[in-house]
Amino acid sequence: MNAPERSEAFDERDPALPNPLPRPAGEFEALKKAWEAPRGLSFITAVNNTYVGLWYVGTAFLFFILAGILSLIMRVQLATPESDFVGHDLYNQLFTMHGTVMMFLFAVPAVEAASVYLLPNMQAARDLPFPRLSAYAFWAYFVGGLVFFCTIFFGLAPNGGWFMYPPLTGAKYSPADNADWWLLGIGFIEISAIAGAIEIIVGVMKTRAVGMSLDKMPVYSWAMLVFAAMIVIGFPAIILGTLLLEMERAFDWPFFIAERGGDPLLWQHLFWFFGHPEVYIIFLPATGMVSMIVPAMAQTPLVGYRLVVLALVATGFLSFGLWVHHMFATGLPKMSLSFFSAASTAVAVPSGIQVFAWIATIASGRMKLTTPSLFIIGFLFIFTLGGLTGVMVAMAPFDWQAHDSYFVVAHLHYVLIGGMVFPLFAAFYYWVPVASKYALSERVGRWVFGLMFVGVNVTFLPMHITGLIGMPRRVYTYPVGMGWDALNLVSTIGSFMIAAGVALFIVDFARRFRIARDENAGNVWNASTLEWLPNANYNTRSIPIVASRDPLWDQPKLSQDVQDGRYYLPGTATGGRETLVTSPFDARPQYILQVPGPGWQPLLAALFTAAFFLLLTVKMVLLSATCGVLAVFCVIWWLWETDPGPVRPPADIGGGIAVPVYATGSMNHSWWAMIVLMVVTGMVFTCLIFSYLFLWLVNPAAWPPQGTLLPEGFSPFVSCTLYVVGAALIAYASRTLRGEDRRSPRAVPVLIAAALLCVGGAAAMDLWAHWRTGLSPSAHAYGAAVYAIVSLQIFFVLTTLIMGLYTIARWLAGRLDSVRRTTFDNMMLFWFYTTGQGLVALAVVYGFPRLTGGV
Amino acid sequence: MDLKTTRQGLPWRRTVTTRAAAFACALSLAGCSGVQSALDPAGGDALRIYWLTLIMTLGGTLIFLLVTGVLLYAIFAPPERRAWLGGRRTIVVGGLAFPIVVLSGLLPYGLIVMRDTDVPMPGALQVEVIGEQYWWRVKYPEEGGKSEFSTANELIVPVGSPVTVTVTSADVIHSFWIPNLGGKIDMIPGRINRLSFTAERPGIYRGVCAEFCGDQHARMAFDVVALERTAFEAWRAAQEKPAREPDLPFLSRGRALFRAAGCGSCHVVRGTEADGAFGPDLTHVGSRRTIGAGQFPNNIGTLAGWIANTQHIKPGVRMPSYGSFTGEELRSLAAYLESLK
């Protein structure tokens, strides 16, 4: 152990480990059996993170290659002026697909996929808290993504640029299905990203090694926590945006059509409120990886842990205040430009903190120049340059020149390749020994790095100049004699060097990567964190106690003791799959989570969900609706097996600690997931209200437009009352569902049914009130906005309806009682959310136009 | 209009520093001068942004070298010599204090440049430009007794006088960008934006659409010609007049074909019955330098080629190809258009 001196070593402080040796016969076998993967063809029903994580990473990398090939075609086209290699139509699809696939099908899924694999390992959890949800998210992404990509072979790929600005992408200027593929395909893959984010938040907060308090958590966990929180806040904006644009295209509701009161800029605000954080959503997990790799390579703890964590959180916050810097040329007042200009430069500070933390760590240790190290150094080089050009474009006047030119193309590739692709390759080289029997070749790795590093700079450095001497982005060709020819040719040559590097990586990977289910290559870097413990499908044999940020350095015998089963939960308490849930701040054991095992449900649910969206795109409405119903059915079938209840009394996990195998209320992992989901839905709704108010600002004199009849005052009061009564009935049912007799009161299903009638009546009343006034959703943006709010509310009421009926069914089947009531609790949370949203919606839709002078 | 793009520095402010900057620019960025280059400023705004660019590039390069140097030092220097770097102080100084100091200096400078750039000036020449897929409708509104007229795909401005361009779009979002004269401004349907600039040296510059606007976004450019005041007034007076009557039988035949083929349902030729508002105003099409939104030099050959092969040359534009004309018909039609000086 050549790690530098530590504070006192753990086992000197507390020599008594929770479980004695020898372990009882059969204990280890039972654990292995519980976590055994399905054999034969049904291995695709596997749901645990070691399987799904690898598939997920592999699929994301596949999209990296595919989108990379698209870019090579573009570079060939641009190598010479007035080239005829591909026509304008294909070219416009190519750059749209390159951006879309890289952002939505590679970058976000790749970092999410890596964490599905790594997080449980790093936190010594046996699995993520919702393995079937990860499986669902993966399959939805896999099927949806591949079908979406294939549209390029049929000339059906979207062709409006990856930020899809209307009116170009509206029905009038893009009548074909191409834009719908983007809106429905990507909209639905974002749902998969959100599912992953919920999983990650609950995973980080609730399933850590014992003693791994927040201040001992790996930086990577922090990065993923901030990442997931940013997805939860940021993605709803784009989901709402795609929803509005799709409604405009399908039903002619004019949100973005200026002649009818809409505004194209509304899309830009919604898009970039998501789109700018998106860059940091991609970048932060990569910095988390770097903060893990650098200490291992320098063999010294990270310098400035607290500052780095602070920088991650600060980046997350600041990133939501910068979106307007993508709109500097839209003619906004200079006052707001100044604000966003300042905020955009400010975000350089937390990035600077991280960069210097890594430099300080390198200086305090001894950096071994391995392939991961080389990629890290390359990352620092390229990212620093990209960050500096980022400060340049943050200056609005400079951006007026650089915006939408090749300068920006250069900048964004420096930031994204430097900030994400290089760390990812470092991560591949670094973590492959965890998943594979052999590490990748260090000798080949140097060539991969060299080709990619030189290639990136040869490709993108000249583009800064190409842009400043006038070349706009997204042009399929350019005239001779503009002075752009040589620079473009150099860029094309560079792009093929990158491709050669990636190809070499694939060859090496194919030669050396062999999936290890129990005998991996081991801790080849002498790293300090828990993913380097001996692991298998069940992850670690026992759940360790962690006393520092670098447990493997500070507790030299940890690996052996964990493997011998001397720490917590060395077997299985219920006979099935389990993981230990710990308290969110100081990671004390709370209860044993019974983790669901393999099953067809998530796979089938994902297939049908994908089919629903994809068939809708090609307007096969009936078939699509059938698939939608089947998807809901599969989800219900999948849920039916969850919420197992206390199948046995509290179990001894070692060290005299007995924890229950079931928990309800705010301790429960699904309660946390529900809260996060409510933040997501709340953000969707907030964005919709923002859109309503934004459209009002665009039409201050026509809100509502002349001649619009407002519904009478009594209908909102009826709706309001019904919502409140419904919620009160549910609250009453919850209060009575706490008795000694587990099946009392008998009235629970009746109360739920009555509440359902109330909430359904409230929504129906609301819709009817507007319908009766003759308000048209397509005549003016006002009507469109009102019906959008009403429709969203109806969607939530319908979801509540399904949840309510499901809860009644659970009761009738004897799967719900006063102890086993997680299903009820989750439904209640959602119910209260729907009620709250309904009340706010009523207040806005009925109250606001009266305030603004309607009659 | 036989102006050549001038490639020397700015005549009105040839100080030692601009010369030094131009020299540095010439050394490092071969070919940075040009008709469509932000690095060859021809107006005050573009020059201000150019200086901002130079200063930020220089400062950025220095910071980049510094960070890279520190990184390499941290890796390769002997452990005892780099030990001082390995603490929180490095982070606080390098990652917190240093960027804050630098950015606190840069931001006010950037904001001052922003304040001074794109400022509407009293008495500026008003021009309206409307972006359409994939060309530019240019209107010179009535001003001091001079009547309104329309042209397309070229902007003629007087040297040394402020110009305010009012932009919007007739269909999708476009962006109006003349790199030599200043930044860009988006043309958004339903919104009216303004961009002000002054061309300080006579010459021909090129503007382009910078926001992706569909099939032929790549072929949506326009010429900007900065003329001395008298030349500008002469041009303006000529543009105000209705179209020239054809004075040769060949040209009359062209006009008859123009009428018979229904060209007038999309194009205006003032003084004739052609009054279509859909496409570019052709009253003085012969006076323009280029056709097809900055794509080809304007002459009888290119005009004829354009009419017969529109969809081949620029697939996706609103004008269909008129391939049924005979060669002789095409020539007379093109000659008629070319005669509309």
Side-chain angles (χ1 to χ4, degrees):
Chain A
M1 173 59 51
N2 53 1
E5 55 172 334
R6 306 285 165 213
S7 55
E8 49 184 334
F10 176 77
D11 46 357
E12 284 164 22
R13 204 163 59 193
D14 180 10
L17 295 180
N19 280 306
L21 288 179
R23 302 304 307 150
E27 182 187 72
F28 191 28
E29 284 65 33
L31 179 69
K32 278 203 270 196
K33 189 161 181 310
W35 287 89
E36 213 166 46
R39 291 179 189 285
L41 194 62
S42 57
F43 82 97
I44 56 168
T45 62
V47 295
N48 67 323
N49 75 304
T50 43
Y51 279 78
V52 174
L54 289 182
W55 298 340
Y56 214 156
V57 174
T59 309
F61 192 71
L62 174 70
F63 283 118
F64 172 69
I65 294 165
L66 291 174
I69 292 170
L70 300 186
S71 71
L72 292 179
I73 302 173
M74 289 193 285
R75 276 322 318 172
V76 173
Q77 164 74 10
L78 292 180
T80 51
E82 299 289 359
S83 166
D84 283 331
F85 183 65
V86 292
H88 66 91
D89 187 35
L90 180 56
Y91 188 88
N92 294 346
Q93 293 183 33
L94 285 173
F95 76 71
T96 305
M97 286 297 271
H98 171 72
T100 305
V101 173
M102 281 294 190
M103 294 302 258
F104 293 104
L105 299 183
F106 162 62
V108 176
V111 290
E112 204 155 285
S115 77
V116 166
Y117 188 82
L118 287 174
L119 265 186
N121 285 314
M122 227 176 250
Q123 299 179 174
R126 295 214 188 281
D127 204 340
L128 284 167
F130 308 98
R132 288 189 171 183
L133 187 64
S134 347
Y136 173 80
F138 165 70
W139 286 112
Y141 153 72
F142 179 78
V143 177
L146 282 180
V147 174
F148 176 75
F149 188 85
C150 287
T151 56
I152 189 90
F153 301 121
F154 303 96
L156 285 172
N159 53 4
W162 84 274
F163 33 83
M164 293 287 290
Y165 278 1
L168 180 62
T169 50
K172 187 169 173 194
Y173 301 101
S174 296
D177 286 347
N178 304 48
D180 300 307
W181 282 104
W182 195 96
L183 294 170
L184 291 171
I186 294 304
F188 135 75
I189 286 160
E190 282 147 13
I191 296 172
S192 146
I194 287 184
I198 294 177
E199 174 98 287
I200 288 167
I201 290 177
V202 182
V204 170
M205 294 308 290
K206 300 287 290 178
T207 60
R208 301 200 298 265
V210 177
M212 189 189 271
S213 50
L214 284 184
D215 63 334
K216 296 192 189 73
M217 221 160 66
V219 175
Y220 181 72
S221 296
W222 273 109
M224 291 317 295
L225 187 63
V226 177
F227 157 91
M230 289 174 71
I231 286 189
V232 163
I233 305 290
F235 272 50
I238 185 69
I239 287 184
L240 182 81
T242 50
L243 211 62
L244 297 186
L245 185 51
E246 189 52 44
M247 286 201 284
E248 180 184 296
R249 288 178 57 85
F251 311 123
D252 195 29
W253 294 11
F255 298 104
F256 310 109
I257 300 173
E259 299 95 81
R260 283 186 271 157
D263 188 359
L265 277 194
L266 171 59
W267 170 268
Q268 299 193 13
H269 282 290
L270 289 173
F271 187 90
W272 291 117
F273 183 78
F274 142 83
H276 195 79
E278 162 87 345
V279 177
Y280 296 96
I281 284 172
I282 293 165
F283 170 60
L284 289 186
T287 67
M289 290 171 169
V290 173
S291 290
M292 304 302 286
I293 300 171
V294 166
M297 292 304 142
Q299 289 291 302
T300 183
L302 184 72
V303 176
Y305 172 91
R306 278 163 202 275
L307 282 171
V308 169
V309 170
L310 197 68
L312 290 171
V313 177
T315 309
F317 269 106
L318 284 172
S319 70
F320 284 100
L322 328 170
W323 80 95
V324 168
H325 76 211
H326 295 267
M327 300 165 65
F328 277 165
T330 54
L332 295 174
K334 282 182 178 174
M335 197 53 165
S336 34
L337 298 192
S338 309
F339 170 79
F340 284 100
S341 200
S344 305
T345 52
V347 81
V349 174
S351 295
I353 289 177
Q354 293 212 68
V355 166
F356 278 92
W358 297 318
I359 290 180
T361 308
I362 291 169
S364 75
R366 180 185 289 273
M367 186 82 158
K368 285 184 289 192
L369 290 181
T370 59
T371 305
S373 303
L374 290 177
F375 273 104
I376 299 284
I377 295 166
F379 147 72
L380 284 168
F381 184 95
I382 297 172
F383 177 74
T384 303
L385 225 163
L388 288 166
T389 54
V391 171
M392 291 175 78
V393 290
M395 294 293 121
F398 177 75
D399 189 62
W400 289 336
Q401 285 282 21
H403 180 70
D404 274 336
S405 78
Y406 260 81
F407 188 93
V408 166
V409 178
H411 160 70
L412 74 92
H413 282 92
Y414 263 89
V415 175
L416 292 174
I417 295 182
M420 190 268 174
V421 176
F422 271 61
L424 191 70
F425 272 80
F428 279 139
Y429 278 93
Y430 179 71
W431 275 301
V432 153
V434 175
S436 158
K437 286 182 193 154
Y438 319 106
L440 297 177
S441 159
E442 278 290 305
R443 198 167 51 86
V444 180
R446 275 152 210 278
W447 280 94
V448 174
F449 167 75
L451 282 166
M452 286 181 67
F453 181 74
V454 176
V456 166
N457 288 296
V458 170
T459 309
F460 297 106
L461 198 61
M463 283 187 191
H464 292 104
I465 301 167
T466 323
L468 288 178
I469 62 175
M471 182 159 164
R473 72 196 280 201
R474 299 177 164 177
V475 289
Y476 71 91
T477 190
Y478 52 93
V480 188
M482 303 296 293
W484 306 340
D485 311 14
L487 293 167
N488 271 296
L489 187 60
V490 170
S491 290
T492 301
I493 293 168
S495 67
F496 279 88
M497 293 180 72
I498 306 174
V502 176
L504 194 59
F505 171 79
I506 295 169
V507 170
D508 186 32
F509 194 83
R511 281 181 48 212
R512 311 272 303 185
F513 186 87
R514 294 291 174 271
I515 291 180
R517 288 302 169 206
D518 38 27
E519 275 298 300
N520 65 19
N523 190 357
V524 294
W525 314 109
N526 185 30
S528 68
T529 40
L530 299 180
E531 75 272 26
W532 299 100
L533 288 171
N535 69 52
N537 260 354
Y538 47 81
N539 195 5
T540 53
R541 165 79 197 274
S542 54
I543 315 288
I545 305 172
V546 166
S548 77
R549 287 175 203 142
D550 299 295
L552 263 57
W553 286 343
D554 298 343
Q555 295 159 245
K557 284 186 284 183
L558 189 68
S559 289
Q560 191 57 49
D561 289 335
V562 163
Q563 183 65 352
D564 291 343
R566 295 204 59 195
Y567 283 95
Y568 292 118
L569 197 63
T572 159
T574 61
R577 296 187 175 191
E578 314 159 324
T579 191
L580 194 61
V581 172
T582 49
S583 59
F585 295 103
D586 48 4
R588 277 184 231 280
Q590 281 185 325
Y591 69 100
I592 291 173
L593 192 169
Q594 302 175 50
V595 182
W600 286 97
Q601 299 95 322
L603 175 58
L604 292 176
L607 287 178
F608 287 123
T609 314
F612 168 73
F613 281 100
L614 300 171
L615 291 168
L616 202 58
T617 314
V618 291
K619 317 268 190 297
M620 295 168 80
V621 178
L622 205 64
L623 207 54
S624 160
T626 316
C627 289
V629 172
L630 284 171
V632 172
F633 171 78
C634 288
V635 171
I636 289 175
W637 173 27
W638 145 17
L639 290 176
W640 196 254
E641 295 174 8
T642 60
D643 191 12
V647 294
R648 55 158 289 172
D652 180 13
I653 57 170
I657 299 177
V659 291
V661 297
Y662 185 75
T664 53
S666 65
M667 198 195 272
N668 182 284
H669 57 290
S670 65
W671 185 91
W672 280 68
M674 206 64 198
I675 297 290
V676 180
L677 179 66
M678 282 157 58
V679 176
V680 173
T681 52
M683 277 307 297
V684 173
F685 183 68
T686 306
C687 291
L688 182 55
I689 297 299
F690 164 81
S691 306
Y692 178 96
L693 296 175
F694 184 89
L695 290 170
W696 160 64
L697 282 175
V698 176
N699 305 281
W703 204 260
Q706 281 287 303
T708 308
L709 223 57
L710 292 179
E712 290 131 29
F714 88 95
S715 65
F717 285 111
V718 176
S719 290
C720 193
T721 313
L722 285 171
Y723 276 132
V724 172
V725 170
L729 286 172
I730 292 300
Y732 177 70
S734 170
R735 253 167 59 97
T736 52
L737 193 59
R738 293 197 195 283
E740 285 293 306
D741 175 11
R742 284 178 63 172
R743 291 287 288 168
S744 125
R746 298 269 166 227
V748 164
V750 181
L751 286 170
I752 298 175
L756 282 176
L757 287 177
C758 288
V759 74
M765 181 79 198
D766 189 20
L767 180 64
W768 181 70
H770 291 290
W771 199 254
R772 224 164 52 106
T773 61
L775 182 68
S776 155
S778 51
H780 188 269
Y782 172 79
V786 167
Y787 278 105
I789 294 176
V790 174
S791 310
L792 189 74
Q793 180 61 18
I794 288 176
F795 173 77
F796 275 88
V797 166
L798 288 177
T799 311
T800 309
L801 195 73
I802 293 174
M803 291 175 84
L805 292 175
Y806 174 75
T807 311
I808 294 174
R810 296 279 294 191
W811 174 277
L812 297 178
R815 286 168 175 258
L816 176 75
D817 55 48
S818 64
V819 176
R820 188 185 180 184
R821 54 172 284 170
T822 298
T823 301
F824 182 89
D825 288 343
N826 289 344
M827 179 209 67
M828 180 169 70
L829 282 177
F830 194 81
W831 200 297
F832 290 159
Y833 172 80
T834 304
T835 304
Q837 179 179 298
L839 296 178
V840 176
L842 288 172
V844 171
V845 168
Y846 291 89
F848 195 75
R850 286 183 162 79
L851 281 181
T852 55
V855 280
Chain B
M1 267 176 257
D2 53 356
L3 282 165
K4 291 273 190 301
T5 309
T6 48
R7 284 184 182 256
Q8 68 269 38
L10 294 154
W12 81 98
R13 204 187 283 171
R14 275 195 192 163
T15 59
V16 177
T17 42
T18 41
R19 275 190 204 161
F23 180 69
C25 178
L27 269 187
S28 59
L29 316 168
C32 69
S33 63
V35 293
Q36 190 176 320
S37 170
L39 303 180
D40 186 13
D45 285 355
L47 184 71
R48 255 187 295 277
I49 299 176
Y50 174 71
W51 272 106
L52 180 65
T53 309
L54 278 189
I55 288 167
M56 289 198 296
T57 307
L58 203 66
T61 309
L62 286 177
I63 295 171
F64 175 72
L65 292 176
L66 192 72
V67 174
T68 315
V70 172
L71 172 66
L72 294 177
Y73 188 82
I75 297 171
F76 293 112
E80 62 281 3
R81 296 189 59 183
R82 60 181 150 88
W84 63 273
L85 262 177
R88 277 171 58 99
R89 192 183 51 191
T90 304
I91 308 174
V92 174
V93 173
L96 198 65
F98 180 67
I100 288 178
V101 169
V102 171
L103 295 173
S104 308
L106 177 63
L107 187 64
Y109 173 44
L111 295 182
I112 289 169
V113 173
M114 177 156 77
R115 187 196 64 195
D116 296 342
T117 305
D118 187 18
V119 180
M121 303 293 262
L125 172 74
Q126 301 290 323
V127 188
E128 293 167 28
V129 181
I130 298 163
E132 309 202 13
Q133 283 178 324
Y134 306 91
W135 62 283
W136 314 81
R137 189 189 294 273
V138 181
K139 283 188 197 164
Y140 286 74
E142 187 188 353
E143 181 201 318
K146 296 166 195 156
S147 53
E148 179 192 273
F149 63 89
S150 270
T151 174
N153 303 326
E154 67 176 12
L155 190 65
I156 314 288
V157 296
V159 170
S161 317
V163 181
T164 295
V165 183
T166 304
V167 303
T168 188
S169 163
D171 38 47
V172 304
I173 300 176
H174 304 274
S175 191
F176 178 91
W177 184 30
I178 314 166
N180 300 67
L181 296 177
K184 58 181 72 69
I185 187 80
D186 288 352
M187 313 170 102
I188 304 170
R191 285 178 177 257
I192 290 168
N193 282 330
R194 285 186 181 78
L195 180 72
S196 299
F197 60 85
T198 307
E200 301 280 5
R201 89 180 126 95
I204 297 166
Y205 312 101
R206 197 166 182 269
V208 281
C209 177
E211 183 66 69
F212 180 67
C213 60
D215 288 347
Q216 291 301 332
H217 164 63
R219 297 195 186 276
M220 184 169 165
F222 62 102
D223 280 321
V224 184
V225 185
L227 295 175
E228 297 295 351
R229 190 82 217 180
T230 46
F232 173 76
E233 294 301 345
W235 173 82
R236 179 162 190 155
Q239 293 285 319
E240 284 171 24
K241 292 185 186 135
R244 219 176 91 157
E245 283 295 309
D247 49 6
L248 292 168
F250 185 54
L251 299 181
S252 300
R253 167 135 173 79
R255 188 169 84 171
L257 285 163
F258 187 87
R259 183 184 306 154
C263 303
S265 58
C266 287
H267 296 282
V268 174
V269 180
R270 268 182 291 124
T272 74
E273 69 289 341
D275 61 353
F278 199 58
D281 186 316
L282 299 180
T283 311
H284 298 288
V285 64
S287 71
R288 296 179 201 153
R289 294 187 65 253
T290 60
I291 61 164
Q295 297 309 305
F296 309 98
N298 186 3
N299 56 50
I300 294 179
T302 53
L303 279 168
W306 174 262
I307 294 164
N309 298 303
T310 327
Q311 288 299 327
H312 179 73
I313 297 171
K314 205 170 160 181
V317 292
R318 298 287 178 264
M319 177 170 157
S321 298
Y322 286 82
S324 56
F325 289 117
T326 66
E328 183 272 330
E329 287 172 335
L330 262 183
R331 271 192 299 281
S332 52
L333 180 54
Y336 166 65
L337 292 174
E338 202 265 346
S339 76
L340 297 175
K341 300 273 187 194

